[in-house]
Every structure is written in C-alpha cells, then in structure tokens.
Amino acid sequence: MRQTMLASVMSMTLLFSCHSGPTVTATNATGAQVAAQIKAANLDTPFVLPGRWEGTMMISNLNIPDMQPQMAERMKASMGNPKTFVSCLTPDQVKAPREGFFGGEQKSCKFAHYTMGNGKIDAEMTCHQGGAVRTMKMSGTYGSDTYAMTMESSGSGGAKEGHMSEMSMKMNLTGKRTGECTGKEGR
C-alpha cells in the first residue's frame, strides 16, 4: 500500500504544477470524484502544461519500527539524498486526468479534503486495506511551470498483526516543466 500511495503522490504532483487557474474543492471524496472535478475545471484553463517534467524527491523523516535492521540502515543512509524522476505528460492526460492520478484505482481511499487554487494545494487522503489504515497529507505551492510540495504519510495496522504496525514518512517534492517530451522519460 505504501508503494501505491507514493505512486499516487508522485502522479498528483504533476497535476498541481501549472498556473493558479480555477479552484477545485472537495470533501469526503473518492479519487474518481476529484478527477471529475479537475476535468470539469480544466475545460477552459488547463491546470497543467503537457511536456517533460523533472522532479526531485527527498525523504526528510522515516519511521518504520518493525523494519529489518539492515534495511533500516540503508534507508537512513539514503535520507537527505535527493531522488530524481522524469516523466512525460501528454495533451490527452492534461485534458482528462485518470482517477488513478488521485488514488482512485484504490477503492478503499478517500480524500477527507482536497483544495487546489490560487497557487496553493492542501489535501488529505486515507486508505483502508487489509486491516491497515494509511493517511497521506499534502500541502504546497505551484506556479506556471513549477511546484513545491510537502507530503506526510502515516499508518497503522496490517494483515499481520505487529508487522509494520506503525509507520510514518515525510518527504519534499519539487519539480518543473523542462520542455517537450523526448520519448525517453520514465526509463
């Protein structure tokens, strides 16, 4: 589930990276409902420019008490080291974002609140799966071709009692549009 939420977060950051444009606000909404609101608001003034996007993710806090010691040491060693990613956002993706951009493919996820407009974003999503509860909070700013977000993820429970019973992670994401897609993004 942690990987699903992280993938959703990284996908969502691309949606928040354009001008201030219209405002989207939702409470107690599914990913599909948020995607529909984005699509409706996107008709006249797109939130996102298509093209090549380059981003950086840096984990600033990680707490997974039940992690194996060797893995914990590797994770701690990588904290503070930025990870880069590149992606291509097509014109079709700009016009009609899939609900998967918002965790919508996980039917167990809901946004307690989601607000985007005037260059700011604030959202909180909770997912329930296999006895585990995970919450992801996101806040930040976006401009014409850039974004800066702080993401916090926490969770408890799970299919195996005591395994990864409580965890938390905080990361910072920044990104910018660097031009047209080259066809080599995401490789």
Side-chain angles (χ1 to χ4, degrees), residues 13 54-58 85 146-149 172-176:
T13 59
E54 296 180 8
T56 302
M57 175 187 76
M58 186 162 52
F85 55 94
T146 63
Y147 61 85
M149 305 286 161
N172 298 303
L173 292 156
T174 58
K176 61 184 176 180

Side-chain angles (χ1 to χ4, degrees), residues 87-184:
S87 59
C88 175
L89 191 60
T90 68
D92 288 341
Q93 290 170 320
V94 169
K95 290 178 190 172
R98 291 183 12 245
E99 67 180 82
F101 268 53
F102 307 95
E105 292 170 349
Q106 291 289 323
K107 302 300 181 196
S108 65
C109 298
K110 266 204 167 168
F111 284 95
H113 68 273
Y114 180 99
T115 304
M116 179 176 81
N118 299 316
K120 294 183 180 179
I121 181 145
D122 181 56
E124 180 177 336
M125 178 174 69
T126 301
C127 298
H128 300 265
Q129 185 177 17
V133 177
R134 305 283 183 246
T135 300
M136 191 265 306
K137 296 178 182 180
M138 174 177 56
S139 62
T141 59
Y142 59 95
S144 62
D145 287 339
T146 63
Y147 61 85
M149 305 286 161
T150 298
M151 313 283 182
E152 295 182 54
S153 176
S154 62
S156 62
K160 295 179 181 177
E161 196 58 41
H163 179 67
M164 296 184 97
S165 57
E166 292 188 29
M167 63 156 279
S168 63
M169 177 172 52
K170 183 176 182 179
M171 70 179 93
N172 298 303
L173 292 156
T174 58
K176 61 184 176 180
R177 183 180 182 276
T178 60
E180 300 303 316
C181 295
T182 65
K184 296 180 181 178

